[in-house]
Coordinates of all heavy atoms in Angstrom, one line a residue:
A1 N 8.9 -31.8 -14.1 CA 9.5 -30.7 -13.4 C 9.5 -31.0 -11.9 O 10.5 -30.7 -11.2 CB 8.8 -29.4 -13.7
L2 N 8.4 -31.5 -11.4 CA 8.4 -31.8 -10.0 C 9.5 -32.8 -9.6 O 10.2 -32.7 -8.6 CB 7.0 -32.4 -9.6 CG 6.7 -32.9 -8.2 CD1 6.8 -31.7 -7.3 CD2 5.3 -33.5 -8.1
F3 N 9.6 -33.9 -10.4 CA 10.7 -34.9 -10.1 C 12.1 -34.3 -10.2 O 12.9 -34.5 -9.3 CB 10.5 -36.0 -11.1 CG 11.5 -37.2 -10.9 CD1 11.4 -38.0 -9.7 CD2 12.5 -37.4 -11.8 CE1 12.2 -39.0 -9.5 CE2 13.4 -38.5 -11.6 CZ 13.2 -39.3 -10.4
L4 N 12.3 -33.5 -11.2 CA 13.6 -32.8 -11.3 C 14.0 -31.9 -10.1 O 15.1 -31.9 -9.6 CB 13.7 -32.1 -12.6 CG 13.9 -32.9 -13.9 CD1 13.8 -32.1 -15.1 CD2 15.2 -33.7 -13.8
R5 N 13.0 -31.2 -9.7 CA 13.2 -30.3 -8.5 C 13.5 -31.1 -7.3 O 14.4 -30.8 -6.5 CB 12.0 -29.4 -8.3 CG 11.9 -28.2 -9.2 CD 10.8 -27.2 -8.8 NE 9.5 -27.8 -8.5 CZ 8.6 -27.9 -9.5 NH1 8.8 -27.4 -10.7 NH2 7.4 -28.4 -9.2
A6 N 12.8 -32.3 -7.1 CA 13.0 -33.1 -6.0 C 14.4 -33.8 -5.9 O 14.9 -34.0 -4.8 CB 11.9 -34.2 -5.9
I7 N 14.9 -34.1 -7.1 CA 16.2 -34.8 -7.1 C 17.4 -33.9 -7.2 O 18.5 -34.4 -7.0 CB 16.3 -35.9 -8.2 CG1 16.2 -35.2 -9.6 CG2 15.2 -36.9 -8.1 CD1 16.6 -36.1 -10.7
A8 N 17.1 -32.6 -7.4 CA 18.2 -31.7 -7.6 C 19.3 -31.7 -6.5 O 20.5 -31.6 -6.8 CB 17.7 -30.3 -7.8
D9 N 18.9 -31.8 -5.3 CA 19.8 -31.8 -4.1 C 20.0 -33.2 -3.5 O 20.7 -33.3 -2.5 CB 19.3 -30.8 -3.1 CG 19.3 -29.4 -3.6 OD1 20.2 -29.0 -4.4 OD2 18.3 -28.7 -3.2
M10 N 19.5 -34.2 -4.1 CA 19.6 -35.5 -3.5 C 20.9 -36.2 -3.6 O 21.3 -37.0 -2.8 CB 18.5 -36.5 -4.2 CG 18.4 -37.8 -3.5 SD 17.3 -39.0 -4.3 CE 15.8 -38.0 -4.6
N11 N 21.7 -35.8 -4.7 CA 23.0 -36.4 -4.9 C 22.9 -37.9 -5.1 O 23.8 -38.6 -4.6 CB 24.0 -36.0 -3.8 CG 25.4 -36.1 -4.3 OD1 25.7 -36.0 -5.5 ND2 26.3 -36.4 -3.4
H12 N 21.9 -38.4 -5.7 CA 21.8 -39.8 -6.0 C 22.8 -40.2 -7.0 O 23.1 -39.4 -8.0 CB 20.4 -40.2 -6.5 CG 20.1 -41.6 -6.6 ND1 20.4 -42.4 -7.7 CD2 19.5 -42.4 -5.7 CE1 20.0 -43.6 -7.5 NE2 19.4 -43.7 -6.3
P13 N 23.5 -41.4 -6.9 CA 24.5 -41.7 -7.9 C 24.1 -41.9 -9.3 O 24.9 -41.8 -10.2 CB 25.1 -43.0 -7.3 CG 24.1 -43.6 -6.4 CD 23.3 -42.4 -5.9
V14 N 22.8 -42.3 -9.5 CA 22.3 -42.5 -10.9 C 21.3 -41.5 -11.3 O 21.5 -40.8 -12.3 CB 21.6 -43.9 -11.0 CG1 21.1 -44.2 -12.4 CG2 22.6 -45.0 -10.6
V15 N 20.3 -41.3 -10.5 CA 19.2 -40.4 -10.8 C 19.6 -39.0 -10.3 O 19.3 -38.6 -9.2 CB 17.9 -40.8 -10.2 CG1 16.7 -39.9 -10.6 CG2 17.5 -42.2 -10.6
N16 N 20.3 -38.3 -11.2 CA 21.0 -37.1 -10.8 C 20.9 -36.2 -12.1 O 21.2 -36.7 -13.2 CB 22.5 -37.4 -10.5 CG 23.2 -36.2 -10.0 OD1 23.3 -35.2 -10.6 ND2 23.9 -36.4 -8.9
P17 N 20.6 -34.9 -12.0 CA 20.5 -34.1 -13.1 C 21.8 -34.1 -14.0 O 21.7 -33.9 -15.2 CB 20.2 -32.7 -12.6 CG 19.5 -33.0 -11.3 CD 20.2 -34.2 -10.7
A18 N 22.9 -34.3 -13.4 CA 24.2 -34.3 -14.2 C 24.2 -35.5 -15.1 O 24.9 -35.5 -16.1 CB 25.4 -34.4 -13.3
N19 N 23.4 -36.6 -14.8 CA 23.4 -37.8 -15.7 C 22.3 -37.8 -16.7 O 22.1 -38.8 -17.4 CB 23.3 -39.0 -14.8 CG 24.5 -39.3 -13.9 OD1 25.6 -38.8 -14.2 ND2 24.3 -40.0 -12.8
L20 N 21.5 -36.7 -16.8 CA 20.4 -36.7 -17.8 C 21.0 -36.8 -19.2 O 22.0 -36.2 -19.5 CB 19.7 -35.3 -17.7 CG 18.6 -35.2 -16.7 CD1 18.1 -33.8 -16.6 CD2 17.4 -36.1 -17.0
T21 N 20.4 -37.6 -20.0 CA 20.8 -37.8 -21.4 C 20.4 -36.6 -22.3 O 21.1 -36.2 -23.2 CB 20.3 -39.0 -22.1 OG1 18.9 -39.0 -22.1 CG2 20.8 -40.3 -21.3
V22 N 19.3 -35.9 -21.9 CA 18.9 -34.7 -22.6 C 18.6 -33.7 -21.6 O 17.6 -33.8 -20.8 CB 17.6 -35.0 -23.5 CG1 17.1 -33.7 -24.1 CG2 17.9 -36.1 -24.5
G23 N 19.4 -32.7 -21.5 CA 19.3 -31.6 -20.5 C 18.3 -30.6 -20.8 O 17.6 -30.0 -19.9
D24 N 18.1 -30.3 -22.1 CA 17.1 -29.3 -22.5 C 15.7 -29.7 -22.5 O 15.3 -30.7 -23.2 CB 17.5 -28.9 -24.0 CG 16.6 -27.8 -24.5 OD1 15.7 -27.3 -23.8 OD2 16.8 -27.4 -25.7
P25 N 14.9 -29.2 -21.6 CA 13.5 -29.6 -21.4 C 12.7 -29.5 -22.7 O 11.7 -30.3 -22.9 CB 12.9 -28.7 -20.4 CG 14.0 -27.9 -19.8 CD 15.2 -28.1 -20.7
A26 N 13.0 -28.6 -23.6 CA 12.3 -28.5 -24.9 C 12.5 -29.7 -25.8 O 11.8 -29.9 -26.8 CB 12.7 -27.2 -25.6
R27 N 13.6 -30.4 -25.5 CA 14.0 -31.5 -26.4 C 13.6 -32.9 -25.9 O 13.9 -33.9 -26.5 CB 15.5 -31.5 -26.7 CG 15.9 -30.3 -27.5 CD 17.4 -30.3 -27.9 NE 17.8 -31.6 -28.4 CZ 18.9 -32.2 -28.0 NH1 19.7 -31.7 -27.1 NH2 19.2 -33.4 -28.6
R28 N 12.9 -33.0 -24.7 CA 12.6 -34.3 -24.2 C 11.0 -34.3 -24.0 O 10.4 -33.3 -23.9 CB 13.3 -34.6 -22.9 CG 13.1 -33.6 -21.8 CD 13.9 -34.1 -20.5 NE 13.6 -33.1 -19.5 CZ 14.5 -32.3 -19.0 NH1 15.7 -32.4 -19.4 NH2 14.1 -31.5 -18.1
G29 N 10.5 -35.6 -24.0 CA 9.1 -35.8 -23.8 C 8.7 -35.9 -22.4 O 9.4 -35.3 -21.5
N30 N 7.8 -36.7 -22.1 CA 7.3 -36.9 -20.7 C 8.1 -38.0 -20.0 O 7.6 -38.8 -19.2 CB 5.8 -37.2 -20.7 CG 5.0 -36.0 -21.0 OD1 5.4 -34.9 -20.8 ND2 3.8 -36.3 -21.4
F31 N 9.4 -38.2 -20.4 CA 10.2 -39.1 -19.7 C 11.6 -38.5 -19.5 O 11.9 -37.5 -20.1 CB 10.3 -40.4 -20.5 CG 11.0 -40.3 -21.8 CD1 12.4 -40.4 -21.9 CD2 10.2 -40.0 -22.9 CE1 13.0 -40.2 -23.1 CE2 10.8 -39.9 -24.2 CZ 12.2 -40.0 -24.3
L32 N 12.3 -39.0 -18.5 CA 13.6 -38.6 -18.2 C 14.5 -39.8 -18.2 O 14.3 -40.8 -17.6 CB 13.7 -38.0 -16.8 CG 12.8 -36.7 -16.6 CD1 12.8 -36.3 -15.1 CD2 13.4 -35.6 -17.4
A33 N 15.6 -39.6 -19.0 CA 16.6 -40.7 -19.1 C 17.9 -40.3 -18.5 O 18.4 -39.2 -18.7 CB 16.8 -41.0 -20.6
F34 N 18.5 -41.2 -17.7 CA 19.7 -41.0 -17.0 C 20.8 -42.0 -17.5 O 20.5 -43.2 -17.5 CB 19.5 -41.1 -15.5 CG 18.5 -40.1 -15.0 CD1 17.2 -40.4 -15.0 CD2 18.9 -38.8 -14.5 CE1 16.2 -39.5 -14.5 CE2 18.0 -37.9 -14.0 CZ 16.7 -38.2 -14.0
R35 N 22.0 -41.5 -17.7 CA 23.0 -42.4 -18.2 C 23.9 -42.7 -17.0 O 24.4 -41.8 -16.3 CB 23.9 -41.8 -19.3 CG 25.0 -42.6 -19.8 CD 25.8 -41.9 -20.9 NE 25.0 -41.6 -22.0 CZ 24.6 -42.5 -23.0 NH1 25.0 -43.8 -22.9 NH2 23.9 -42.1 -24.0
H36 N 24.1 -44.0 -16.7 CA 25.0 -44.4 -15.6 C 25.3 -45.9 -15.8 O 24.4 -46.7 -16.1 CB 24.4 -44.1 -14.3 CG 25.4 -44.2 -13.1 ND1 25.7 -45.3 -12.5 CD2 26.1 -43.2 -12.5 CE1 26.5 -45.1 -11.5 NE2 26.8 -43.8 -11.5
E37 N 26.5 -46.4 -15.4 CA 26.8 -47.8 -15.6 C 25.9 -48.7 -14.7 O 25.8 -49.9 -15.0 CB 28.3 -48.0 -15.4 CG 28.8 -47.8 -14.0 CD 29.2 -46.3 -13.8 OE1 29.1 -45.5 -14.7 OE2 29.7 -46.0 -12.7
D38 N 25.4 -48.2 -13.6 CA 24.5 -49.0 -12.8 C 23.0 -48.9 -13.1 O 22.2 -49.3 -12.3 CB 24.8 -48.7 -11.3 CG 26.2 -49.1 -10.8 OD1 26.7 -50.1 -11.4 OD2 26.7 -48.5 -9.9
A39 N 22.7 -48.3 -14.2 CA 21.3 -48.1 -14.5 C 20.4 -49.4 -14.5 O 19.3 -49.4 -13.9 CB 21.1 -47.4 -15.9
S40 N 20.9 -50.4 -15.1 CA 20.1 -51.7 -15.2 C 19.9 -52.3 -13.8 O 18.9 -52.8 -13.5 CB 20.8 -52.7 -16.1 OG 20.8 -52.2 -17.4
A41 N 21.0 -52.2 -13.0 CA 20.9 -52.7 -11.6 C 19.9 -51.9 -10.8 O 19.1 -52.5 -10.0 CB 22.2 -52.8 -10.9
L42 N 19.9 -50.6 -11.0 CA 18.9 -49.8 -10.3 C 17.5 -50.1 -10.7 O 16.6 -50.2 -9.8 CB 19.2 -48.3 -10.5 CG 18.2 -47.3 -9.9 CD1 18.1 -47.5 -8.4 CD2 18.5 -45.9 -10.3
A43 N 17.3 -50.3 -12.0 CA 15.9 -50.6 -12.5 C 15.4 -51.9 -11.8 O 14.3 -52.0 -11.4 CB 15.9 -50.7 -14.0
A44 N 16.3 -52.9 -11.7 CA 15.9 -54.2 -11.1 C 15.6 -54.0 -9.6 O 14.6 -54.6 -9.1 CB 17.1 -55.2 -11.3
R45 N 16.3 -53.2 -8.9 CA 16.0 -53.0 -7.5 C 14.7 -52.2 -7.3 O 13.9 -52.4 -6.4 CB 17.2 -52.2 -6.8 CG 18.4 -53.1 -6.7 CD 19.5 -52.5 -5.8 NE 20.0 -51.2 -6.3 CZ 21.0 -51.1 -7.1 NH1 21.7 -52.1 -7.6 NH2 21.4 -49.9 -7.5
L46 N 14.5 -51.2 -8.2 CA 13.3 -50.4 -8.1 C 12.1 -51.3 -8.4 O 11.0 -51.1 -7.8 CB 13.3 -49.3 -9.1 CG 14.2 -48.1 -8.8 CD1 14.3 -47.1 -10.0 CD2 13.7 -47.4 -7.6
A47 N 12.2 -52.3 -9.3 CA 11.1 -53.2 -9.6 C 10.7 -53.9 -8.3 O 9.5 -54.2 -8.1 CB 11.5 -54.2 -10.7
G48 N 11.6 -54.2 -7.4 CA 11.3 -54.8 -6.1 C 10.5 -54.0 -5.2 O 9.8 -54.5 -4.4
D49 N 10.5 -52.7 -5.5 CA 9.6 -51.7 -4.7 C 8.4 -51.3 -5.5 O 7.7 -50.4 -5.1 CB 10.4 -50.5 -4.4 CG 11.4 -50.7 -3.2 OD1 11.0 -51.5 -2.3 OD2 12.4 -50.0 -3.1
G50 N 8.2 -52.0 -6.6 CA 7.0 -51.7 -7.4 C 7.1 -50.6 -8.3 O 6.1 -50.1 -8.8
V51 N 8.3 -50.1 -8.6 CA 8.5 -49.0 -9.5 C 9.0 -49.6 -10.8 O 10.0 -50.3 -10.9 CB 9.6 -48.0 -8.9 CG1 9.9 -46.9 -9.9 CG2 9.1 -47.4 -7.6
L52 N 8.3 -49.2 -11.9 CA 8.7 -49.7 -13.2 C 9.5 -48.6 -13.9 O 9.0 -47.5 -14.0 CB 7.5 -50.1 -14.0 CG 6.6 -51.2 -13.4 CD1 5.4 -51.4 -14.3 CD2 7.4 -52.5 -13.3
A53 N 10.7 -49.0 -14.4 CA 11.5 -48.1 -15.1 C 12.1 -48.9 -16.3 O 12.4 -50.1 -16.1 CB 12.6 -47.5 -14.2
D54 N 12.3 -48.3 -17.4 CA 12.9 -48.9 -18.5 C 14.4 -48.7 -18.5 O 14.9 -47.6 -18.4 CB 12.3 -48.2 -19.8 CG 12.9 -48.8 -21.1 OD1 13.0 -50.0 -21.2 OD2 13.3 -48.0 -21.9
A55 N 15.1 -49.8 -18.5 CA 16.6 -49.8 -18.5 C 17.1 -50.6 -19.7 O 16.7 -51.7 -19.9 CB 17.2 -50.3 -17.2
R56 N 18.0 -49.9 -20.4 CA 18.7 -50.6 -21.6 C 20.1 -50.2 -21.5 O 20.5 -49.0 -21.7 CB 18.1 -50.1 -22.9 CG 16.6 -50.5 -23.0 CD 16.0 -50.0 -24.3 NE 14.6 -50.2 -24.1 CZ 13.7 -49.8 -25.0 NH1 14.1 -49.2 -26.1 NH2 12.4 -50.0 -24.9
G57 N 21.0 -51.1 -21.2 CA 22.4 -50.8 -21.0 C 22.6 -49.8 -19.9 O 22.1 -50.0 -18.8
P58 N 23.3 -48.8 -20.3 CA 23.7 -47.8 -19.2 C 22.6 -46.7 -19.1 O 22.9 -45.6 -18.5 CB 25.0 -47.2 -19.7 CG 24.8 -47.2 -21.2 CD 24.1 -48.5 -21.5
I59 N 21.4 -46.9 -19.6 CA 20.4 -45.8 -19.5 C 19.1 -46.3 -18.8 O 18.6 -47.4 -19.1 CB 20.0 -45.3 -20.9 CG1 21.3 -44.6 -21.5 CG2 18.9 -44.3 -20.8 CD1 21.1 -44.1 -22.9
I60 N 18.7 -45.6 -17.8 CA 17.4 -45.9 -17.1 C 16.5 -44.7 -17.5 O 16.9 -43.6 -17.5 CB 17.6 -46.0 -15.6 CG1 16.3 -46.5 -15.0 CG2 18.1 -44.8 -15.0 CD1 16.4 -47.0 -13.5
R61 N 15.2 -45.1 -17.7 CA 14.3 -44.1 -18.2 C 13.0 -44.2 -17.3 O 12.5 -45.2 -17.1 CB 13.9 -44.4 -19.7 CG 13.3 -43.2 -20.4 CD 13.3 -43.5 -21.8 NE 12.4 -44.6 -22.2 CZ 11.9 -44.8 -23.4 NH1 12.2 -44.0 -24.3 NH2 11.1 -45.8 -23.6
F62 N 12.6 -43.0 -16.9 CA 11.4 -42.9 -16.1 C 10.4 -42.1 -16.9 O 10.6 -41.0 -17.4 CB 11.6 -42.1 -14.8 CG 12.6 -42.8 -13.8 CD1 14.0 -42.5 -13.9 CD2 12.1 -43.7 -12.9 CE1 14.9 -43.1 -13.1 CE2 13.0 -44.3 -12.0 CZ 14.4 -44.0 -12.1
G63 N 9.2 -42.7 -17.1 CA 8.1 -42.1 -17.8 C 7.1 -41.5 -16.9 O 6.7 -42.1 -15.9
F64 N 6.6 -40.3 -17.2 CA 5.6 -39.6 -16.4 C 4.5 -39.3 -17.3 O 4.7 -38.7 -18.4 CB 6.2 -38.4 -15.7 CG 7.3 -38.7 -14.8 CD1 8.6 -38.6 -15.2 CD2 7.1 -39.1 -13.5 CE1 9.7 -38.8 -14.4 CE2 8.1 -39.3 -12.6 CZ 9.4 -39.2 -13.0
G65 N 3.3 -39.6 -16.8 CA 2.1 -39.3 -17.6 C 1.0 -38.7 -16.8 O 1.1 -38.5 -15.6
C66 N -0.1 -38.4 -17.5 CA -1.3 -37.8 -16.8 C -1.9 -38.6 -15.7 O -2.6 -38.1 -14.8 CB -2.3 -37.4 -17.9 SG -3.0 -38.8 -18.7
Y67 N -1.6 -39.9 -15.8 CA -2.1 -40.8 -14.8 C -1.2 -40.9 -13.5 O -1.6 -41.6 -12.5 CB -2.3 -42.2 -15.3 CG -1.1 -42.7 -16.1 CD1 0.0 -43.3 -15.5 CD2 -1.1 -42.5 -17.5 CE1 1.1 -43.7 -16.2 CE2 0.0 -43.0 -18.2 CZ 1.1 -43.5 -17.6 OH 2.1 -44.0 -18.3
H68 N -0.1 -40.2 -13.5 CA 0.8 -40.2 -12.4 C 0.4 -38.9 -11.5 O 0.3 -37.8 -12.1 CB 2.2 -40.1 -12.8 CG 2.7 -41.4 -13.3 ND1 3.1 -41.6 -14.6 CD2 3.0 -42.6 -12.7 CE1 3.5 -42.8 -14.8 NE2 3.4 -43.4 -13.7
S69 N 0.3 -39.1 -10.3 CA 0.0 -38.0 -9.4 C 1.3 -37.5 -8.7 O 2.4 -38.1 -8.8 CB -0.9 -38.4 -8.3 OG -0.3 -39.4 -7.4
G70 N 1.2 -36.3 -8.1 CA 2.3 -35.8 -7.3 C 2.7 -36.8 -6.2 O 3.9 -36.9 -5.9
G71 N 1.7 -37.6 -5.7 CA 2.0 -38.6 -4.7 C 2.9 -39.7 -5.3 O 3.7 -40.3 -4.6
D72 N 2.6 -40.1 -6.6 CA 3.5 -41.1 -7.2 C 4.9 -40.6 -7.3 O 5.9 -41.4 -7.1 CB 2.9 -41.4 -8.6 CG 1.6 -42.1 -8.6 OD1 1.3 -42.8 -7.6 OD2 0.8 -41.8 -9.6
V73 N 5.1 -39.4 -7.7 CA 6.4 -38.8 -7.8 C 7.1 -38.7 -6.4 O 8.2 -39.1 -6.3 CB 6.4 -37.4 -8.4 CG1 7.7 -36.7 -8.4 CG2 5.9 -37.4 -9.9
A74 N 6.3 -38.3 -5.4 CA 6.9 -38.3 -4.0 C 7.3 -39.7 -3.6 O 8.4 -39.8 -2.9 CB 5.9 -37.7 -3.1
R75 N 6.5 -40.7 -3.9 CA 6.9 -42.1 -3.5 C 8.2 -42.5 -4.2 O 9.1 -43.1 -3.5 CB 5.8 -43.0 -3.9 CG 6.1 -44.5 -3.5 CD 4.9 -45.4 -3.8 NE 5.3 -46.8 -3.5 CZ 5.8 -47.6 -4.5 NH1 5.9 -47.1 -5.7 NH2 6.2 -48.8 -4.2
L76 N 8.3 -42.2 -5.4 CA 9.6 -42.5 -6.1 C 10.8 -41.8 -5.5 O 11.8 -42.4 -5.3 CB 9.5 -42.2 -7.6 CG 10.7 -42.3 -8.5 CD1 11.3 -43.7 -8.4 CD2 10.4 -41.9 -9.9
V77 N 10.6 -40.5 -5.2 CA 11.7 -39.7 -4.6 C 12.0 -40.3 -3.2 O 13.2 -40.4 -2.9 CB 11.3 -38.3 -4.5 CG1 12.2 -37.5 -3.7 CG2 11.2 -37.7 -5.9
D78 N 11.0 -40.7 -2.5 CA 11.2 -41.3 -1.2 C 12.0 -42.6 -1.3 O 13.0 -42.8 -0.5 CB 9.9 -41.5 -0.4 CG 9.3 -40.3 0.1 OD1 9.9 -39.2 0.1 OD2 8.1 -40.4 0.5
I79 N 11.7 -43.4 -2.2 CA 12.4 -44.7 -2.4 C 13.9 -44.4 -2.8 O 14.8 -45.0 -2.3 CB 11.7 -45.5 -3.5 CG1 10.4 -46.1 -2.9 CG2 12.6 -46.7 -4.0 CD1 9.5 -46.7 -4.0
L80 N 14.1 -43.5 -3.7 CA 15.4 -43.1 -4.1 C 16.2 -42.5 -3.0 O 17.4 -42.8 -2.7 CB 15.4 -42.2 -5.3 CG 14.9 -42.8 -6.6 CD1 14.6 -41.7 -7.6 CD2 15.9 -43.8 -7.2
H81 N 15.5 -41.6 -2.2 CA 16.2 -40.9 -1.2 C 16.6 -41.8 0.0 O 17.6 -41.6 0.6 CB 15.3 -39.7 -0.7 CG 16.0 -38.8 0.3 ND1 17.0 -38.0 -0.1 CD2 15.9 -38.6 1.6 CE1 17.5 -37.3 0.9 NE2 16.8 -37.7 2.0
A82 N 15.8 -42.8 0.2 CA 16.0 -43.7 1.3 C 17.3 -44.5 1.1 O 17.8 -45.1 2.0 CB 14.8 -44.6 1.5
G83 N 17.8 -44.5 -0.1 CA 19.0 -45.2 -0.4 C 18.9 -46.7 -0.6 O 19.8 -47.4 -0.8
R84 N 17.6 -47.2 -0.6 CA 17.4 -48.6 -0.8 C 17.8 -49.0 -2.2 O 18.1 -50.1 -2.5 CB 15.9 -48.9 -0.6 CG 15.4 -48.7 0.8 CD 14.0 -49.2 1.0 NE 13.1 -48.5 0.0 CZ 12.0 -48.0 0.4 NH1 11.6 -48.0 1.6 NH2 11.2 -47.4 -0.5
N85 N 17.8 -48.0 -3.1 CA 18.0 -48.4 -4.5 C 19.1 -47.5 -5.1 O 19.2 -47.4 -6.3 CB 16.7 -48.2 -5.3 CG 15.7 -49.1 -4.8 OD1 15.8 -50.3 -4.9 ND2 14.6 -48.5 -4.3
G86 N 20.0 -46.9 -4.3 CA 21.0 -46.1 -4.8 C 22.3 -46.8 -5.1 O 22.6 -47.9 -5.0

C-alpha cells in the first residue's frame, strides 16, 4: 500500500497503477506486477542500482515482505522518481 501510494502521482512509464496486472488488492499477494513492453529493460537497469525485481517478458514484479522497511520502499521510489530507470 505504501508503494502504491508513492507511485500514484509519479507518472512512471512502467511502474504505474494503470499498468498493474491485478488491480484488486484482495486478489494479489505481497507483490505487485506491472505490464509494459519495457519491463525487462527496467529490471536490468534497477539491478544496477541494487534493486532486485523479477521480469518475464512484458511483466516486472516487485515483491514486498516483512523484511522490507518503509525505508526500502522509499529508496525504490526515489530511484524510480529520479528517472534513472524510467
Side-chain angles (χ1 to χ4, degrees):
L2 178 63
F3 183 68
L4 286 174
R5 283 192 305 270
I7 66 167
D9 296 324
M10 187 185 308
N11 200 29
H12 191 275
V14 179
V15 183
N16 186 309
N19 293 337
L20 277 169
T21 60
V22 178
D24 181 3
R27 293 186 46 227
R28 59 179 182 247
N30 287 338
F31 63 88
L32 296 170
F34 299 87
R35 180 179 300 280
H36 194 276
E37 64 271 3
D38 291 333
S40 294
L42 175 59
R45 290 189 301 269
L46 287 170
D49 281 329
V51 176
L52 300 177
D54 177 45
R56 297 175 193 178
I59 296 180
I60 186 168
R61 199 167 66 159
F62 297 90
F64 299 96
C66 62
Y67 47 85
H68 289 110
S69 68
D72 294 329
V73 173
R75 180 175 173 268
L76 173 57
V77 169
D78 287 346
I79 289 168
L80 291 167
H81 189 69
R84 294 187 303 227
N85 298 300

